[in-house]
Amino acid sequence: MKSRFGKQKIVASCTGVNDLLKDIQSQIDTRGISLNRVGIKNIDWPLKVYDQANGFQNTVANISLSVALNHDIKGTHMSRFVEVLNNIDILNPQIILSILSSIQTKLDAESSFFECKFPYFIWKESPVSKNISPLKIEAMILGEKNHDKTEIIIGVVVPVQTLCPCSKAISSVGAHNQRANVKILVKTKKKIWFEHLAAIAEMSASSPVYSLLKREDEKYVTEAAYNTPKFVEDVARDAALLLEKEEGLKCYRVEVESHESIHNHEAFAWVEKSLS
């Protein structure tokens, strides 16, 4: 039985494919407004990251990629961001530079941006029993390329314990303590490990926190925090002093947020400084 669709109809349909797949993003925009950033946000991606103790560890990174968009271009090509990610399996500063350059080239942009954060595990020994267990922190890498100038920021968010100096001073028994987070972001001229930044955060607090504590460890941690009372202001300043001793650091930011145990609010402190 002869098809009711003739050959001419099929040819005509095929020649219309290009019309159906018009590149709308590349059309001219006449509103005269440049956009600082356009791109994709919060895409989860399996990656390997370098680990000071074990070489590398597997993680899942939450990534955002973007570019600056000129005033005369209607839109960017979002799929090209994902194409760039398809070519990486391990994260390091050199790979970040490659990603930023690839985005810039593929999307014909003057500026490109990379942001990622991911769970990172540090194996810690409890203070007395010496049991080893993993502590999860949040690690992050931020990158920006403007023309040929590139900047990379390395950071961590580390859980710690703080004990209130005021509560200790006015109470005949005990003092309120709580979990806090210390966020450290740095620009540096030399390699710096996530573990090192995490250690600075912990040294600045009343006490580190651990995943596994036996009774003897719990006694030690409780007494150590009681003997080292700190406000969020103290933690931020002490972390800043430690960072200023680091060689090759260009600038830093420290943000401390305490999840108050007896108040219906959080307490926070923030310090930022350029060193060179």
Side-chain angles (χ1 to χ4, degrees), residues 3 10 60 67 111 116 122 127 130 140 169 177 203 216 267 275:
S3 171
I10 295 174
V60 177
V67 294
S111 302
C116 79
I122 297 174
K130 306 303 181 183
M140 61 195 70
N177 54 27
M203 285 187 288
E216 58 269 32
L275 300 175

Side-chain angles (χ1 to χ4, degrees), residues 103-165:
I103 292 170
Q104 208 172 28
T105 301
K106 280 181 171 288
L107 294 153
D108 192 24
E110 294 181 356
S111 302
S112 56
F113 308 91
F114 173 92
E115 298 179 14
C116 79
K117 56 185 177 181
F118 46 90
Y120 186 86
F121 288 90
I122 297 174
W123 290 84
K124 292 184 59 180
E125 186 179 78
S126 57
V128 181
S129 68
K130 306 303 181 183
N131 284 301
I132 296 176
S133 58
L135 177 75
K136 186 182 81 168
I137 68 169
E138 181 178 84
M140 61 195 70
I141 306 176
L142 312 174
E144 178 177 339
K145 185 174 183 183
N146 294 302
H147 301 286
D148 293 326
K149 182 182 178 182
T150 305
E151 288 190 335
I152 293 179
I153 296 172
I154 305 295
V156 294
V157 179
V158 183
V160 297
Q161 182 185 5
T162 59
L163 186 134
C164 178

Side-chain angles (χ1 to χ4, degrees), residues 47-50 61-66 84-85 87-104 112-118 140-145 149-154 194:
L47 288 171
K48 294 177 182 177
V49 292
Y50 284 109
N62 181 270
I63 298 176
S64 299
L65 301 171
S66 57
V84 171
L85 289 181
N87 296 321
I88 66 169
D89 64 348
I90 194 164
L91 214 52
N92 60 43
Q94 291 71 35
I95 294 296
I96 305 301
L97 295 177
S98 175
I99 291 172
L100 290 168
S101 296
S102 296
I103 292 170
Q104 208 172 28
S112 56
F113 308 91
F114 173 92
E115 298 179 14
C116 79
K117 56 185 177 181
F118 46 90
M140 61 195 70
I141 306 176
L142 312 174
E144 178 177 339
K145 185 174 183 183
K149 182 182 178 182
T150 305
E151 288 190 335
I152 293 179
I153 296 172
I154 305 295
F194 297 125

Side-chain angles (χ1 to χ4, degrees), residues 161-163 177 206-207 220-230:
Q161 182 185 5
T162 59
L163 186 134
N177 54 27
S206 296
S207 171
Y220 179 93
V221 169
T222 302
E223 292 174 347
Y226 189 79
N227 291 325
T228 317
K230 292 195 179 186

Side-chain angles (χ1 to χ4, degrees), residues 143-271:
E144 178 177 339
K145 185 174 183 183
N146 294 302
H147 301 286
D148 293 326
K149 182 182 178 182
T150 305
E151 288 190 335
I152 293 179
I153 296 172
I154 305 295
V156 294
V157 179
V158 183
V160 297
Q161 182 185 5
T162 59
L163 186 134
C164 178
C166 182
S167 175
K168 178 179 177 180
I170 64 176
S171 302
S172 58
V173 178
H176 83 79
N177 54 27
Q178 54 274 314
R179 185 91 61 87
N181 285 327
V182 180
K183 182 177 182 179
I184 298 176
L185 297 169
V186 298
K187 291 181 186 177
T188 179
K189 300 174 185 176
K190 58 187 292 187
K191 185 175 185 178
I192 192 164
W193 290 98
F194 297 125
E195 289 88 343
H196 186 63
L197 294 178
I200 289 174
E202 291 180 335
M203 285 187 288
S204 305
S206 296
S207 171
V209 298
Y210 301 84
S211 297
L212 175 59
L213 293 174
K214 305 300 286 184
R215 277 178 294 179
E216 58 269 32
D217 299 309
E218 187 171 347
K219 178 180 186 296
Y220 179 93
V221 169
T222 302
E223 292 174 347
Y226 189 79
N227 291 325
T228 317
K230 292 195 179 186
F231 296 124
V232 288
E233 297 94 329
D234 296 316
V235 179
R237 286 174 171 143
D238 287 346
L241 288 175
L242 290 172
L243 288 166
E244 291 188 8
K245 295 177 183 178
E246 292 292 317
E247 292 184 6
L249 221 60
K250 297 168 66 177
C251 67
Y252 66 80
R253 181 195 296 176
V254 178
E255 301 175 30
V256 183
E257 182 173 317
S258 175
H259 307 293
E260 295 290 284
S261 60
I262 65 169
H263 303 291
N264 190 27
H265 58 255
E266 317 290 13
F268 80 96
W270 179 12
V271 58

